Amino acid sequence: MEAATPLLTEVSKHAVGSLPEVFLNSFIPATAVVGILFAIFQWFMVSRIRVGGAPDGQYGLLEDGTADTVIQQVTEIQSAISMGAESFLTTEYKYLAVFMSGFSVIIFLFLGSVDNFDKQGIANAGFSTLAFILGALTSTGSGYLGMKIATYANARTTLEARKGIPAAFVVAFRAGSVMGFLLSANGLLVLFLTILAYKKYYGDDWAGLYESITGYGLGGSSVALFGRVGGGIYTKAADVGADLVGKVERNIPEDDPRNPAVIADNVGDNVGDIAGMGSDLFGSFAESTCAALVISALSQPGKDHDFSAMCFPLLVSGAGILVCLITTIIATDVQQVKEKAEIEPALKKQLVISTVLMTPVIFLVALYALPPTFNITVVGQGEKVVQNWYAFACVASGLWAGLLIGFVTEYFTSNAYVPVQDVADSCRTGAATNIIFGLALGYKSVIIPVFAIAAAIYVSFQFAGMYGIALAALGMLSTLATGLAIDAYGPISDNAGGIAEMAGMGEEIRERTDALDAAGNTTAAIGKGFAIGSAALVSLALFGAYVSRAKVQVVNVTEPQAFVGLLVGAMLPYWFSAMTMKSVGKAALAMVEEVRRQFNTMPGLMEGTTKPDYKKCVEISTAASLREMIPPGALVMLSPVIAGTLFGTTTLAGMLAGGLVSGVQIAISASNTGGAWDNAKKYIEAGNSAHAKSLGPKGSDPHKAAVIGDTVGDPLKDTSGPSLNILIKLMAVESLVFAPFFATHGGIIWGGK
């Protein structure tokens, strides 16, 4: 890869190659501030829709009562969902505060002991601990803000659906973009300001500075793990209980107000799919950036004190915010959705437009931020000469691999295509064949994403070693604001449909919200595909930074230490999945029993004359999720510490590699299997084709089989699958943070280092 094309070589020769520090100190925070201001503007546009007692008689399509009565019901339902979500997150964050405090002490003690608690050792440990706390707080804030805007916008989307598809789509997408831009901008701003503050102490010691900054990614992913697991258990316990008893046993519609678990189900969309997902993708952004910063600091840019070159990852993220801003305006103001058939294509266009616009922007940033040539240290290979356009190729490979993964995920999870339609057709012969077809689809859906990830790894490593892989991960996340907006749009639309059903609004309104929700399910699956793909690249980049920092020259799988680590690491995703799946099952069992109890013992519940005890179901989900999230979280957090301390850096390196290879496959398969089962059910319910009508209507035997498949898939796509990408990232970044301790004191039982 040393030979460049003549055109690129000529361009490289004349590139500026280094940006003034004053420009960097202005441009990076300015892009973050622009992102925050744009999020505030989008929130203001959503807030213009009145939810309350204002007369609103201009809209029709209501089954019962006046518009004012319906608005009052919508307001009450929204308030119940918002209060339930806030109550859960507040309680969860109290648990996390205790954990973060304890783990902060561990970080300080372990890293301080590396230099026997001398002045420099205490400073390094203190700064790493502070970065960990900042990352945790930023991740917590990201999840909480996402939940607040989602619960703020869900009822407004419902009310706008009375006007038609265009108005409802714009509200849901604007609300999603609030989360996307707030998270991206806050993450970038806090990280850059932390770097500037640490620079006051470290001066030109860039390696020490960026090694301390790695705690930022660890804090972000630690919160994300518990948010994903806890939120996933909450939402799926409620969802499974509501579906099995309500839809299968009692044959009532989804989100029917007679179902005692319906409020808990809608709360779960916000604490799992919104808050958990926000923290997850924030962690990916923080970790990919930290990995690139560490590797560049250990290479020529750090040795030459080239601040511009080391800030390249931050410049890419800042430019990405501006590109996503333009892309969002296209969706809300230029090419507006006009009918149901345009919803899903409009969301896909967001991915395509942002990717196309981002590509030349990356090229310009690489040419002007990086020197024409520089050296990157590659473990086991020495110095590698890198040209600035090589960095562009690395970022672009991740960017386009992410788009490919998104489209493949859509193909395997959207009911507009053959795979999901085949799964729906298998419901003719019952739930068993539905399960078989769904599992086969999930396994098959792994193939192309793995090849895409492998191609991005090969190209980026050939160009720039592990630094290139970190840049590829950053490329996949460079349009994070758009990806998050699309992802958050789904749960907001889902909640809007639930509110419409519970408020007794017209069938036509429910059809509109169902159309929004169906597209949201597919885009949520695409978002999970992005998260898993970026997690694979981030984990490998962190692995490279770990072996550099821990001074592991080679990981030879023929050596027992490495191979044992490989085996154990490959097993951990299965152990973790077993724990999370069983946790959902136990919580769902309690929920099913409670819902059955209310239906059996409360007179008038089925007739709609008695109001269910929603609060009891919310309490069951809350207690179960908080109790059950601790063991899986402890497994992930303690595994690297135990492996590195007792068995040394080589065994830990093998464990990280095994967890990465195994976890990616399981995560993709689980997420796509669950997404396919969900949309197969919706395909039958919608009845938009002759084939779909032959399987329906709701309540038919094929539909009941589809509901069972969807129920089985719920913990796969919303708990275990999404949590696995955090597992592989978190183990890697934790190993990177503790690498000096493992290199100095590790291997107590087996063979030193």
Side-chain angles (χ1 to χ4, degrees):
M1 306 305 297
E2 299 300 325
T5 64
L7 175 62
L8 290 171
T9 302
E10 190 63 27
V11 173
S12 295
K13 287 179 182 177
H14 296 285
V16 175
S18 183
L19 294 170
E21 188 167 334
V22 64
F23 175 82
L24 299 171
N25 290 342
S26 303
F27 177 78
I28 295 173
T31 57
V33 171
V34 168
I36 293 170
L37 291 176
F38 185 69
I40 294 172
F41 169 75
Q42 295 287 65
W43 171 83
F44 171 74
M45 295 298 290
V46 172
S47 69
R48 293 172 64 186
I49 300 163
R50 300 287 298 274
V51 176
D56 203 4
Q58 59 179 311
Y59 308 119
L61 306 176
L62 305 179
E63 289 180 345
D64 300 298
T66 65
D68 288 332
T69 304
V70 172
I71 289 176
Q72 183 179 358
Q73 289 179 298
V74 167
T75 305
E76 291 174 357
I77 296 165
Q78 180 200 32
S79 177
I81 294 172
S82 180
M83 289 176 61
E86 183 148 4
S87 174
F88 170 76
L89 286 183
T90 302
T91 307
E92 181 184 53
Y93 291 156
K94 288 178 182 177
Y95 279 74
L96 285 179
V98 175
F99 163 77
M100 292 301 164
S101 300
F103 205 74
S104 296
V105 174
I106 293 174
I107 292 173
F108 182 81
L109 293 177
F110 275 45
L111 295 185
S113 69
V114 173
D115 296 312
N116 297 317
F117 293 101
D118 61 11
K119 183 178 179 181
Q120 186 61 45
I122 292 175
N124 289 338
F127 282 120
S128 293
T129 304
L130 178 59
F132 170 78
I133 295 170
L134 287 173
L137 291 175
T138 308
S139 183
T140 301
S142 298
Y144 183 79
L145 288 173
M147 179 276 296
K148 291 299 288 184
I149 185 60
T151 55
Y152 184 80
N154 52 13
R156 288 166 169 80
T157 303
T158 304
L159 294 177
E160 287 295 277
R162 295 182 295 170
K163 295 180 181 178
I165 289 287
F169 174 84
V170 168
V171 172
F173 191 78
R174 284 191 191 279
S177 68
V178 173
M179 177 180 178
F181 282 93
L182 275 181
L183 187 147
S184 303
N186 282 333
L188 177 62
L189 185 62
V190 172
L191 179 56
F192 184 68
L193 293 179
T194 304
I195 290 171
L196 293 182
Y198 281 23
K199 190 169 177 282
K200 298 291 185 182
Y201 175 82
Y202 282 98
D204 290 334
D205 181 14
W206 292 105
L209 190 158
Y210 287 132
E211 286 174 0
S212 297
I213 287 291
T214 56
Y216 186 72
L218 176 59
S221 272
S222 298
V223 170
L225 175 68
F226 289 101
R228 269 293 197 189
V229 173
I233 293 171
Y234 185 108
T235 183
K236 291 305 109 180
D239 202 356
V240 170
D243 282 356
L244 283 182
V245 182
K247 295 169 80 172
V248 177
E249 295 182 7
R250 295 287 174 167
N251 201 26
I252 59 177
E254 187 170 3
D255 297 317
D256 192 295
R258 294 171 292 177
N259 195 323
V262 69
I263 293 292
D265 186 9
N266 282 277
V267 169
D269 291 335
N270 296 288
V271 300
D273 294 338
I274 294 285
M277 176 264 298
S279 297
D280 178 6
L281 288 176
F282 164 76
S284 291
F285 157 76
E287 288 156 344
S288 61
T289 307
C290 289
L293 292 173
V294 168
I295 296 171
S296 65
L298 295 173
S299 303
Q300 184 181 342
K303 296 171 185 175
D304 292 348
H305 313 306
D306 188 343
F307 189 53
S308 172
M310 285 185 288
C311 280
F312 176 65
L314 301 175
L315 289 167
V316 170
S317 299
I321 290 174
L322 302 181
V323 168
C324 291
L325 188 151
I326 296 170
T327 308
T328 301
I329 292 174
I330 291 173
T332 56
D333 299 286
V334 179
Q335 295 181 347
Q336 294 185 344
V337 169
K338 294 181 176 60
E339 55 187 33
K340 294 178 184 178
E342 296 179 1
I343 299 172
E344 196 169 311
L347 295 170
K348 286 165 57 180
K349 278 183 185 176
Q350 287 285 290
L351 295 175
V352 175
I353 293 170
S354 61
T355 300
V356 171
L357 292 179
M358 192 67 197
T359 302
V361 171
I362 296 168
F363 185 70
L364 293 174
V365 173
L367 287 178
Y368 285 90
L370 297 170
T373 60
F374 56 97
N375 293 336
I376 288 292
T377 303
V378 180
V379 177
Q381 299 180 22
E383 298 289 320
K384 185 178 184 67
V385 178
V386 177
Q387 295 188 35
N388 50 16
W389 73 267
Y390 289 10
F392 155 72
C394 295
V395 180
S397 68
L399 178 67
W400 285 91
L403 184 65
L404 176 60
I405 291 172
F407 280 146
V408 171
T409 304
E410 183 215 11
Y411 175 73
F412 280 102
T413 57
S414 172
N415 55 31
Y417 301 105
V418 172
V420 171
Q421 292 174 10
D422 284 345
V423 173
D425 190 70
S426 70
C427 295
R428 292 180 186 276
T429 51
T433 46
N434 181 28
I435 300 296
I436 293 169
F437 270 68
L439 289 173
L441 178 148
Y443 298 150
K444 189 176 181 181
S445 70
V446 173
I447 299 170
I448 296 178
V450 165
F451 277 122
I453 294 168
I457 290 171
Y458 175 79
V459 169
S460 55
F461 187 83
Q462 289 295 103
F463 275 121
M466 283 294 181
Y467 180 66
I469 293 173
L471 294 182
L474 197 69
M476 200 172 283
L477 294 165
S478 60
T479 54
L480 178 61
T482 294
L484 273 169
I486 293 171
D487 213 346
Y489 156 90
I492 292 169
S493 300
D494 192 1
N495 260 205
I499 292 171
E501 181 73 38
M502 285 184 278
M505 300 176 77
E507 182 64 28
E508 189 171 354
I509 294 176
R510 185 64 213 233
E511 287 178 3
R512 292 169 182 171
T513 57
D514 282 349
L516 295 170
D517 182 27
N521 278 334
T522 301
T523 57
I526 292 173
K528 291 182 178 77
F530 266 96
I532 295 165
S534 63
L537 295 174
V538 167
S539 301
L540 186 55
L542 291 167
F543 177 82
Y546 161 74
V547 295
S548 297
R549 198 177 181 196
K551 298 178 174 59
V552 178
Q553 293 302 313
V554 63
V555 181
N556 186 350
V557 295
T558 63
E559 294 179 358
Q561 283 175 297
F563 191 73
V564 166
L566 196 69
L567 279 177
V568 173
M571 173 272 297
L572 286 176
Y574 290 94
W575 189 359
F576 178 84
S577 297
M579 295 172 78
T580 53
M581 292 284 286
K582 188 172 182 181
S583 295
V584 171
K586 289 165 64 178
L589 184 63
M591 186 67 71
V592 167
E593 290 175 347
E594 173 60 24
V595 175
R596 282 176 177 165
R597 182 193 68 78
Q598 292 196 33
F599 273 121
N600 292 332
T601 61
M602 297 178 67
L605 185 55
M606 274 299 293
E607 291 75 21
T609 57
T610 300
K611 189 175 181 180
D613 185 359
Y614 298 125
K615 186 177 179 181
K616 181 63 176 177
C617 291
V618 170
E619 290 173 353
I620 290 173
S621 270
T622 300
S625 58
L626 294 174
R627 181 180 65 250
E628 297 292 337
M629 74 178 183
I630 296 173
L635 173 68
V636 177
M637 298 296 292
L638 295 178
S639 292
V641 175
I642 294 171
T645 303
L646 299 183
F647 303 104
T649 54
T650 301
T651 301
L652 177 55
M655 190 180 82
L656 295 178
L660 168 58
V661 172
S662 171
V664 168
Q665 325 273 345
I666 302 172
I668 295 174
S669 173
S671 295
N672 289 348
T673 294
W677 277 327
D678 190 358
N679 276 336
K681 176 200 69 176
K682 284 185 166 55
Y683 175 76
I684 295 173
E685 290 175 345
N688 290 330
S689 66
H691 177 244
K693 289 176 182 175
S694 71
L695 299 170
K698 292 181 181 180
S700 66
D701 287 340
H703 178 249
K704 288 182 178 180
V707 170
I708 292 172
D710 174 39
T711 306
V712 173
D714 276 337
L716 288 173
K717 71 180 176 68
D718 290 323
T719 308
S720 296
S723 299
L724 281 172
N725 63 65
I726 305 176
L727 175 144
I728 59 178
K729 291 183 303 180
L730 183 54
M731 290 201 306
V733 72
E734 185 179 348
S735 301
L736 174 59
V737 170
F738 286 105
F741 175 82
F742 298 146
T744 305
H745 302 297
I748 294 173
I749 292 179
W750 195 359
K753 297 181 184 180

